């Protein structure tokens, strides 16, 4: 009689790991938004970045010696885009529903993916995404111009992050570049967090919840994606990441009681479908971070 041993490699499907990461990011965003009546979004963003930077530095311990000036310029730009992306999307969360903010933000990487393709059929995905945005414009319930603009800014920063991520990966070994970028983003936001709103950091409950947001929105998703990408094709990964807006909307309903209208759901479906289509056609969205 033989005993069958299960392989640790097959214990958890990489698809489930990506889905867990997506839900973790959005649940962290829901927890963060629930605190905005007590603290400024900037404070929570900074606590999130501090937590992820400390954990990543402790685990990965990046090598800093022997780097050129260009290496540092690229990784600093990478960190600046990471910090701006997180700061802008949290400002959007404070003004419009979670699901809508992530839907609008997704226009950034989706546009980048489509621009990277020369296939005429990708115009279909452009039109579908544009239809989604127009539908959000027609259904203005719970929307503010500032909230939408912050979400668009986050989307632009996300697209920049993707471009700089590729350059960083070529210049920095493994995840060293991501670790340094996390530290850079934290440093850049420190003056804002320790300025007008520094008194908010005296509340240990807020600090603890901010650290929890960092674990949920950064550390756990990074870990899940790192393991999943070892055996998951990039195209499949990109398609799964297209579910981010829907996950954000569901978390908004469960955690924040943010109910969307049928027009807003239709707009979200258009953007998600456009993202899936663009990814399947070969212009995969890569390196999604987390918002």
């Amino acid at each position: 009689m033989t005993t069958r041993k299960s392989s640790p490699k097959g214990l958890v499907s990489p698809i489930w790991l990506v889905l867990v990461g997506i839900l973790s990011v959005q649940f962290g965003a829901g927890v963060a938004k629930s605190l905005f009546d007590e603290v400024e979004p900037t404070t929570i963003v900074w606590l999130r970045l501090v937590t992820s930077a400390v954990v990543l530095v402790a685990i990965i311990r990046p090598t800093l010696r022997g780097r050129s000036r260009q290496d540092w310029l690229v990784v600093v730009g990478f960190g600046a885009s990471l910090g701006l992306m997180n700061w802008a999307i949290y400002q959007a969360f404070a003004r419009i529903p979670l699901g809508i903010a992530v839907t609008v933000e997704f226009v950034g990487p989706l546009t980048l993916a489509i621009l990277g393709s020369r296939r005429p059929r990708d115009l279909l995905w452009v039109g579908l995404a544009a239809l989604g945005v127009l539908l959000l414009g027609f259904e203005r319930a719970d929307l503010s111009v500032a909230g939408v603009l912050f979400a668009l800014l986050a989307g632009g920063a996300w697209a920049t992050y993707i471009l700089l991520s590729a350059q960083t990966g070529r210049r920095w070994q493994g995840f060293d570049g991501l670790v340094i970028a996390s530290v850079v983003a934290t440093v850049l936001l420190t003056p804002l967090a320790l300025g007008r709103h520094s008194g908010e950091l005296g509340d240990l409950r807020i600090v603890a919840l901010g650290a929890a947001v960092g674990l949920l929105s950064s550390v756990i998703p990074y870990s899940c994606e790192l393991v999943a990408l070892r055996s998951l094709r990039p195209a499949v990964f990109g398609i799964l990441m297209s579910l981010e807006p829907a996950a954000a909307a569901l978390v908004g309903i469960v955690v924040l009681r943010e109910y969307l209208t049928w027009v807003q759901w239709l707009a979200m479906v258009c953007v998600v479908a456009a993202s899936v289509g663009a990814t399947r056609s070969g212009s995969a969205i890569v390196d999604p971070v987390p918002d």
Side-chain angles (χ1 to χ4, degrees):
M1 180 177 180
T2 59
T3 303
R4 185 173 61 184
K5 295 182 180 180
S6 59
S7 170
K9 188 175 181 180
L11 286 179
V12 180
S13 165
I15 292 177
W16 280 111
L17 285 174
V18 174
L19 293 177
V20 167
I22 290 172
L23 288 174
S24 184
V25 167
Q26 301 308 332
F27 185 71
V31 172
K33 182 167 182 174
S34 70
L35 298 172
F36 289 170
D37 289 337
E38 303 176 64
V39 295
E40 288 293 317
T42 300
T43 301
I44 301 299
V45 172
W46 185 77
L47 288 170
R48 168 186 170 175
L49 290 172
V50 167
T51 302
S52 60
V54 168
V55 172
L56 288 173
V57 167
I59 293 174
I60 297 180
R61 298 181 181 180
T63 301
L64 305 181
R65 293 179 181 178
R67 299 295 177 184
S68 68
R69 181 172 178 271
Q70 191 62 30
D71 291 342
W72 284 106
L73 287 175
V74 168
V75 82
V76 167
F78 187 34
S81 64
L82 174 63
L84 178 60
M85 176 176 61
N86 282 279
W87 177 81
I89 195 60
Y90 273 46
Q91 295 295 329
F93 289 161
R95 293 166 172 82
I96 58 179
L98 207 67
I100 295 177
V102 175
T103 300
V104 174
E105 181 194 26
F106 226 75
V107 171
L110 173 58
T111 301
L112 181 64
I114 292 173
L115 289 176
S117 174
R118 297 178 181 178
R119 294 180 175 86
R121 66 182 178 184
D122 281 345
L123 291 175
L124 171 64
W125 313 128
V126 174
L128 195 56
L131 175 61
V133 174
L134 286 174
L135 286 173
L136 287 177
F138 288 135
E139 180 58 75
R140 292 181 54 86
D142 298 325
L143 290 187
S144 74
V145 173
V148 172
L149 290 177
F150 274 122
L152 288 173
L153 177 61
W158 191 355
T160 303
Y161 171 93
I162 291 172
L163 294 173
L164 290 174
S165 174
Q167 293 188 45
T168 302
R170 288 192 291 267
R171 292 177 174 275
W172 293 77
Q173 182 179 4
F175 284 83
D176 286 5
L178 176 60
V179 177
I180 301 302
S182 296
V183 174
V184 169
T186 303
V187 171
L188 291 177
L189 278 178
T190 295
L192 291 176
L194 300 184
R196 283 174 40 189
H197 312 299
S198 59
E200 296 173 344
L201 296 172
D203 188 333
L204 292 180
R205 183 180 68 88
I206 295 299
V207 172
L209 288 172
V213 170
L215 292 174
L216 288 167
S217 293
S218 296
V219 177
I220 292 176
Y222 288 158
S223 302
C224 289
E225 290 166 11
L226 173 62
V227 175
L229 283 170
R230 291 174 180 170
S231 56
L232 197 64
R233 289 186 294 114
V236 176
F237 181 70
I239 290 171
L240 290 172
M241 293 308 301
S242 300
L243 298 175
E244 287 268 15
L250 292 175
V251 168
I253 292 171
V254 174
V255 177
L256 303 168
R257 299 294 187 268
E258 292 180 340
Y259 299 98
L260 305 183
T261 67
W262 71 268
V263 174
Q264 291 169 337
W265 277 107
L266 180 59
M268 186 182 307
V269 168
C270 288
V271 173
V272 169
S275 180
V276 171
T279 302
R280 284 179 60 86
S281 69
S283 46
I285 298 172
V286 295
D287 289 327
V289 168
D291 359 309

